[in-house]
Amino acid sequence: MAVHVDFSEFTEFRKRLEKASRKDIDYKMTMMARKLAFALLTQLKNTTPVKSGHLQQMWDVARNTRAQVIKTGGGYVVELYNPTYYGSYVNDGHK
């Protein structure tokens, strides 16, 4: 006596569960990257030399996406930048 069991619905459920898990992990990783970016931004501002305060105030997180986090093939990228023209001279020294 052979018993035939149809697992098609279970297989579909497993696929939906895996997809939901990936979305949840992606969301959590994005939020963690964002929190780390803002913690680093605070650290950058606190360690930037201050004369007038302009260089320190200009540090920011790139806002090229709504979440400020770009998912790449191997990870997540958040860009911190300072648009002042003299920032690299302060950071690297001048000749």
Side-chain angles (χ1 to χ4, degrees):
M1 177 177 184
V3 177
H4 178 69
V5 178
D6 182 14
F7 285 104
S8 62
E9 288 183 31
F10 180 74
T11 304
E12 185 63 33
F13 173 72
R14 186 193 66 181
K15 287 179 184 177
R16 285 185 294 180
L17 187 60
E18 287 173 352
K19 187 176 180 181
S21 294
R22 278 185 294 232
K23 285 182 181 179
D24 188 44
I25 289 170
D26 184 47
Y27 174 77
K28 288 180 180 178
M29 292 297 288
T30 300
M31 296 312 296
M32 188 183 330
R34 188 174 178 188
K35 284 182 181 181
L36 286 171
F38 283 104
L40 181 58
L41 181 66
T42 300
Q43 187 76 16
L44 280 169
K45 286 185 175 188
N46 290 338
T47 58
T48 299
V50 178
K51 188 171 184 179
S52 69
H54 182 70
L55 180 65
Q56 190 179 43
Q57 293 170 358
M58 293 304 291
W59 282 110
D60 203 0
V61 176
R63 302 201 192 307
N64 38 0
T65 63
R66 202 175 115 228
Q68 296 107 11
V69 178
I70 300 168
K71 184 177 178 184
T72 63
Y76 298 82
V77 176
V78 181
E79 183 182 356
L80 302 174
Y81 71 98
N82 193 318
T84 56
Y85 71 91
Y86 59 88
S88 63
Y89 298 111
V90 173
N91 186 53
D92 304 329
H94 57 82
K95 297 181 181 183

